């Protein structure tokens, strides 16, 4: 069962990871090897029972937890959030900014997790909508949760990929959306959250999460539009007008914050459990904290990251004496001139092996938060010339940490403060590459020959999908 805390944390557990097995009549020639009675086997027809509604929603939550847990490892390596310190060359290529390689082993391994989350979420929504239509759905918030989960994976697909397949169904392949059409995933996410908000008897928690996700989807769609030209051709970076002015995103963010109440530091998180990610590859926490293939930070170009072992060779952290873990955080808040407490907290949670991340593997994943809503509101105000509004929202954000002094409205420049606050508050949430592209931020390890260096490039459809039916797919626009 999904378990929610007052801070909005969800932990899809063993019951949420359902297995659908095929009838053993398919194996009738196997000498009875599989002719066993297993009480844990669930045939697919059982999912047509309205009593399975909660399990269906939980299953969507479990697959959704595995998806970002997998993709954030190669994604972080591409960005300046994580740096390659291990022995697997594919992370090194990503670290150089080579994001468009369909054969990168880590991005390739993560693709099925993203695709599974997309399919499982869709399947859960369709079945629960059917139960609801027939007045057989006992807890309508199961439907609201399924719609929320579906909106999360659709939004993440648009933020992380240049193209995707959303029309496939289990063993039946589907056509790619097309790089020029990817904005439809954000439209779908908006429609899913809108439908979720209309569910009868919606709980306050689900209303807040759905409003936040709708704001995020609208905001990310506006960024996508800045980063893509005709037919999905990647924009040259930085873009001329990077700030988002989307009244709908601002309105939804405002509504979510109103529901929360004053000065709430609300975070909606997924926390993977050992059984949720068992057998998964890659796993961002494991590669950060146990396998030590990645380390948080943005280390210097021109030398192996594992040789980065002092305070001068990394932008955000001081590496350990071995170079593959963190000794301390050094990124400073630009106003108070102390080690940024927001960044420190996020790094402690994700990237330093310990209790907050289950001794490394079980890194909590923030999906949406009050902080992100304040950032959306602040950016909208700044984009419209409302500097007083920007200062108000930024100081509400900064006020969530008592050690940070307020912004005076002038120093540093508002857009520079926005960049900093988005980096530290949205760290390891799958939103950094969009910001890097629109603001022209390059990781120090990026090389000029890499796709990400000067163009708004993201992950393509990976080889594991392309190889199933190569004629469906064309060369990624960003691939050199």
């Amino acid at each position: 069962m999904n378990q929610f805390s007052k801070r909005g944390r969800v932990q899809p557990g063993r019951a949420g990871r359902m297995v659908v097995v095929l009838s053993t009549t398919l194996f009738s020639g196997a000498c009875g090897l599989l002719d066993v009675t297993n009480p844990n086997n669930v045939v697919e027809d059982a999912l047509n029972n309205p009593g399975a509604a909660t399990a269906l929603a939980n299953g969507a939550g479990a697959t959704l937890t595995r998806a970002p847990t997998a993709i954030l490892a190669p994604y972080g390596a591409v960005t300046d959030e994580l740096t390659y310190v291990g022995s697997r060359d594919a992370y090194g290529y990503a670290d150089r900014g080579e994001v468009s390689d369909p054969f990168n082993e880590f991005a390739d391994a993560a693709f099925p997790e993203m695709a599974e989350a997309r399919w499982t979420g869709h399947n859960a929504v369709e079945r629960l909508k059917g139960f609801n239509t027939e007045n057989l759905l006992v807890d309508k918030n199961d439907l609201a949760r399924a719609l929320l989960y579906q909106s999360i994976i659709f939004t993440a697909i648009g933020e992380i990929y240049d193209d995707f397949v959303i029309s496939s169904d289990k063993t039946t392949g589907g056509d790619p959306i097309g790089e020029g059409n990817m904005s439809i995933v954000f439209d779908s996410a908006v429609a899913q959250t809108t439908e979720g908000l209309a569910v009868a008897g919606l709980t306050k928690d689900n209303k807040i999460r759905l409003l936040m996700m709708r704001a995020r989807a609208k905001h990310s769609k506006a960024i996508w539009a800045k980063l893509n030209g005709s037919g999905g051709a990647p924009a040259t970076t930085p873009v001329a007008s990077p700030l988002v002015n989307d009244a709908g995103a601002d309105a939804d963010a405002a509504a979510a914050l109103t529901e929360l109440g004053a000065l709430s530091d609300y975070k909606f998180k997924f926390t993977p459990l050992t059984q949720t990610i068992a057998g998964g590859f890659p796993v961002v926490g494991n590669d950060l904290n146990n396998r030590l293939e990645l380390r948080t930070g943005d280390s210097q170009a021109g030398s192996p990251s594992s040789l980065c072992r002092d305070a001068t060779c990394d932008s955000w952290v001081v590496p350990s004496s071995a170079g593959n873990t963190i000794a301390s955080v050094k990124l400073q808040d630009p106003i108070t001139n102390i080690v940024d407490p927001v960044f420190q907290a996020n790094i402690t949670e994700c990237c330093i092996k310990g209790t907050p991340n289950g001794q490394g593997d079980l890194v909590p994943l923030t999906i949406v938060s009050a902080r992100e809503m304040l950032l959306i509101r602040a950016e909208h105000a700044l984009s419209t010339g409302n500097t007083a509004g920007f200062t108000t929202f930024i100081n509400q954000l900064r006020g969530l940490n008592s050690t940070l002094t307020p912004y005076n409205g002038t120093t540093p420049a508002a857009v520079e403060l926005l960049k900093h606050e988005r980096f530290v508050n949205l760290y390891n949430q799958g939103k950094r590459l969009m910001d890097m592209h629109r603001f022209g931020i390059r990781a120090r390890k990026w090389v000029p020959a890499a796709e990400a260096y000067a163009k708004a490039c993201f992950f393509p459809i990976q080889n594991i999908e392309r190889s199933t039916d190569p004629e469906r797919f064309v060369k990624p626009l960003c691939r050199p």
Side-chain angles (χ1 to χ4, degrees):
M1 177 178 293
N2 286 354
Q3 297 176 353
F4 293 94
S5 75
K6 292 181 179 178
R7 290 180 59 81
R9 179 168 297 191
V10 57
Q11 294 185 320
R14 185 181 301 275
R17 192 169 187 177
M18 297 176 296
V19 178
V20 178
V21 294
L22 298 174
S23 169
T24 55
T25 57
L26 293 176
F27 305 97
S28 58
C31 302
L33 181 63
L34 299 180
D35 187 16
V36 295
T37 300
N38 184 344
N40 295 316
N41 285 349
V42 180
V43 296
E44 189 165 0
D45 283 348
L47 302 181
N48 293 321
N49 184 338
T54 298
L56 281 162
N58 290 350
T63 57
L64 181 58
T65 302
R66 289 195 298 276
T69 295
I71 193 61
L72 286 179
Y75 178 92
V78 171
T79 73
D80 58 0
E81 293 181 312
L82 304 180
T83 192
Y84 162 63
V85 294
S87 60
R88 303 295 285 267
D89 287 343
Y91 276 138
Y93 299 142
D95 213 26
R96 289 160 51 91
E98 297 176 20
V99 67
S100 299
D101 182 5
F103 299 95
N104 184 291
E105 65 168 316
F106 297 105
D108 195 42
F111 190 89
E113 304 289 357
M114 296 292 289
E116 181 186 20
R118 194 283 309 167
W119 184 88
T120 307
H122 171 77
N123 182 58
V125 165
E126 291 305 301
R127 290 179 185 273
L128 268 63
K129 285 169 68 173
F131 300 153
N132 194 40
T133 298
E134 296 172 4
N135 294 318
L136 297 175
L137 187 61
V138 175
D139 186 352
K140 295 183 186 299
N141 275 279
D142 285 335
L143 174 58
R145 287 194 298 119
L147 286 161
L148 172 65
Y149 298 158
Q150 192 179 29
S151 73
I152 292 169
I153 192 63
F154 269 68
T155 303
I157 286 168
E159 293 165 340
I160 292 172
Y161 288 91
D162 272 331
D163 201 358
F164 210 81
V165 175
I166 61 173
S167 59
S168 57
D169 184 16
K170 293 188 288 190
T171 60
T172 304
D175 293 323
I177 296 172
E179 294 186 44
N181 303 317
M182 279 291 283
S183 64
I184 66 171
V185 297
F186 299 114
D187 294 335
S188 295
V190 169
Q192 291 148 10
T193 52
T194 300
E195 188 173 355
L197 287 164
V199 168
L202 190 67
T203 65
K204 183 173 182 177
D205 269 348
N206 282 333
K207 182 177 182 180
I208 290 167
R209 294 162 189 164
L210 286 159
L211 283 168
M212 286 184 170
M213 273 310 305
R214 193 164 69 177
R216 172 182 160 189
K218 290 176 180 178
H219 190 267
S220 290
K221 180 186 177 181
I223 299 176
W224 184 92
K226 294 176 180 293
L227 298 178
N228 289 268
S230 176
T236 300
T237 56
V239 299
S241 302
L243 296 179
V244 167
N245 175 1
D246 190 288
D250 181 62
D252 283 336
L257 291 168
T258 297
E259 289 289 330
L260 282 174
L263 297 178
S264 171
D265 195 7
Y266 180 93
K267 296 176 183 177
F268 176 47
K269 298 184 178 185
F270 287 157
T271 297
L273 302 177
T274 301
Q275 58 266 41
T276 309
I277 61 172
F281 171 81
V283 173
V284 66
N286 184 262
D287 280 1
L288 272 168
N289 302 312
N290 289 309
R291 291 184 68 245
L292 303 180
E293 292 288 345
L294 301 169
R295 187 196 72 223
T296 194
D298 186 26
S299 64
Q300 62 195 7
S303 66
S305 300
S306 58
L307 298 182
C308 176
R309 300 181 181 184
D310 60 48
T312 66
C313 67
D314 196 283
S315 296
W316 323 128
V317 300
V318 178
S320 65
S321 59
N324 55 12
T325 56
I326 302 165
S328 63
V329 171
K330 73 173 189 178
L331 177 66
Q332 290 194 332
D333 175 76
I335 298 173
T336 311
N337 296 320
I338 60 172
V339 170
D340 193 292
V342 182
F343 191 62
Q344 175 78 65
N346 283 334
I347 296 304
T348 299
E349 183 176 68
C350 75
C351 310
I352 299 175
K353 182 176 180 177
T355 302
N357 49 48
Q359 299 307 311
D361 287 358
L362 309 179
V363 172
L365 306 169
T366 298
I367 306 301
V368 281
S369 64
R371 291 172 181 265
E372 185 173 4
M373 298 303 102
L374 288 167
L375 285 164
I376 288 173
R377 298 223 66 195
E379 182 171 347
H380 180 261
L382 186 61
S383 70
T384 60
N386 180 5
T387 54
F390 172 82
T391 300
T392 295
F393 296 129
I394 283 294
N395 282 334
Q396 288 177 5
L397 174 69
R398 293 176 63 81
L400 296 174
N401 293 85
S402 60
T403 56
L404 295 178
T405 54
Y407 177 49
N408 63 13
T410 58
T411 307
V415 70
E416 296 305 316
L417 183 59
L418 177 68
K419 293 178 191 177
H420 174 87
E421 296 291 1
R422 283 187 63 83
F423 175 66
V424 298
N425 284 280
L426 304 181
Y427 186 84
N428 197 42
Q429 296 177 31
K431 300 156 190 173
R432 179 61 174 169
L433 193 53
M434 273 190 157
D435 278 358
M436 293 179 73
H437 284 327
R438 62 174 169 145
F439 292 120
I441 301 166
R442 291 173 178 155
R444 295 206 287 177
K445 297 295 286 292
W446 285 1
V447 298
E451 308 92 273
Y453 190 86
K455 295 188 295 182
C457 297
F458 297 82
F459 286 121
I461 296 172
Q462 295 295 318
N463 182 61
I464 193 169
E465 179 77 21
R466 291 172 176 273
S467 63
T468 61
D469 189 357
E471 293 184 0
R472 291 181 184 267
F473 302 98
V474 298
K475 181 179 178 180
L477 291 179
C478 272
R479 189 68 175 151

